Amino acid sequence: MTFTRRETLALGLGAAALAAMPGASFASTEEAIAAFTGGAEVGEGGIELTTPEIAENGNTVPVEVSAPGATSIMLLATGNPNPDVGTFNFGPLAGSRSASTRIRLAQSQDVIAIARMEDGSFTRTSAPVKVTIGGCGG
Amino acid sequence: MAKGVKPRVKVPKSAEAGEVITIKTLISHKMESGQRKDSDGNVIPRSIINRFTCDFNGENVIDVTIEPAVSTNPYFEFEAKVPEAGEFKFTWYDDDGSVYEESKSIAIG
């Protein structure tokens, strides 16, 4: 099998792009989800995650999450060095099952929210966020 | 105790019994993530607030577990039900063991 110069270049670029993908963090995202759900099946729907489509500054990205009937909601940033962001646990006097905060995102990525419902089931949603300037310093 | 930590909380002064109110909290804290390096290339050790709780008359409203991905000066907005007059108590727990507290009372009517 022989390659022309152009094909070789394209192949090299493709491989470099693949290597740069946040694959390493992907595995730990799965681990974090498993730790939260205990391996239970995660459904969809009944949870809403509001994020900006484009965040100019990854150091402070406003996110809002709401899941009626949830007892706790976990947020994950799949493209961060450590995907954990935080978990909201709602007490008996919580006025609604929603909260908002500001988070750091290292690069453009999907933000995932997983809610544990009162009946013990889990539901998830995700939202892509484009980050212009990453927020993990260096 | 980390320097210059100042909690700020916004709670309405009064509410109807059973009303749901919005609470906004902010605490000034650098939230060093443990990912950054200083000019010599040494990793700056992690120093964050790792937990925030809000209680009303001893009953829990929200309990947040915080990881380094939460921004500098952590901000939280959430809703609480006010069954009676009383006091909201806000507590932040620092990595270094410090605890920052703030309280706000609310009247009915």
Side-chain angles (χ1 to χ4, degrees), chain A residues 6-132:
Chain A
R6 183 167 297 177
E7 279 171 326
T8 313
L9 258 173
L11 212 67
L13 276 176
L18 212 67
M21 292 261 278
S25 169
F26 188 71
S28 47
T29 303
E30 295 301 312
E31 277 168 29
I33 293 174
F36 183 67
T37 61
E41 205 168 303
V42 181
E44 303 239 337
I47 177 167
E48 207 171 308
L49 178 64
T50 314
T51 57
E53 221 167 281
I54 297 176
E56 288 201 357
N57 182 356
N59 263 318
T60 167
V61 183
V63 295
E64 187 181 346
V65 67
S66 163
T71 56
S72 56
I73 303 177
M74 180 174 70
L75 285 176
L76 291 168
T78 53
N80 277 5
N82 170 4
D84 293 321
V85 174
T87 308
F88 299 106
N89 300 298
F90 300 103
L93 282 181
S96 65
R97 310 300 166 155
S98 65
S100 43
T101 184
R102 296 176 189 148
I103 66 173
R104 291 179 176 136
L105 297 176
Q107 58 189 350
S108 299
Q109 57 182 276
D110 284 341
V111 176
I112 301 179
I114 300 178
R116 181 191 287 127
M117 295 304 190
E118 270 153 7
D119 61 5
S121 66
F122 293 90
T123 181
R124 68 179 275 175
T125 187
S126 67
V129 182
K130 280 200 170 69
V131 176
T132 316

Side-chain angles (χ1 to χ4, degrees), chain B residues 36-55:
Chain B
R36 298 200 309 152
K37 289 177 179 160
D38 63 17
S39 50
D40 301 326
N42 302 315
V43 172
I44 305 171
R46 170 182 141 154
S47 166
I48 67 165
I49 288 175
N50 56 44
R51 186 171 169 224
F52 164 70
T53 63
C54 170
D55 295 283

Side-chain angles (χ1 to χ4, degrees), chain B residues 30-72:
Chain B
K30 60 185 173 0
M31 294 291 280
E32 193 57 64
S33 68
Q35 300 282 348
R36 298 200 309 152
K37 289 177 179 160
D38 63 17
S39 50
D40 301 326
N42 302 315
V43 172
I44 305 171
R46 170 182 141 154
S47 166
I48 67 165
I49 288 175
N50 56 44
R51 186 171 169 224
F52 164 70
T53 63
C54 170
D55 295 283
F56 181 71
N57 289 352
E59 254 198 291
N60 185 248
V61 175
I62 197 167
D63 184 337
V64 188
T65 311
I66 306 171
E67 302 288 343
V70 170
S71 300
T72 307

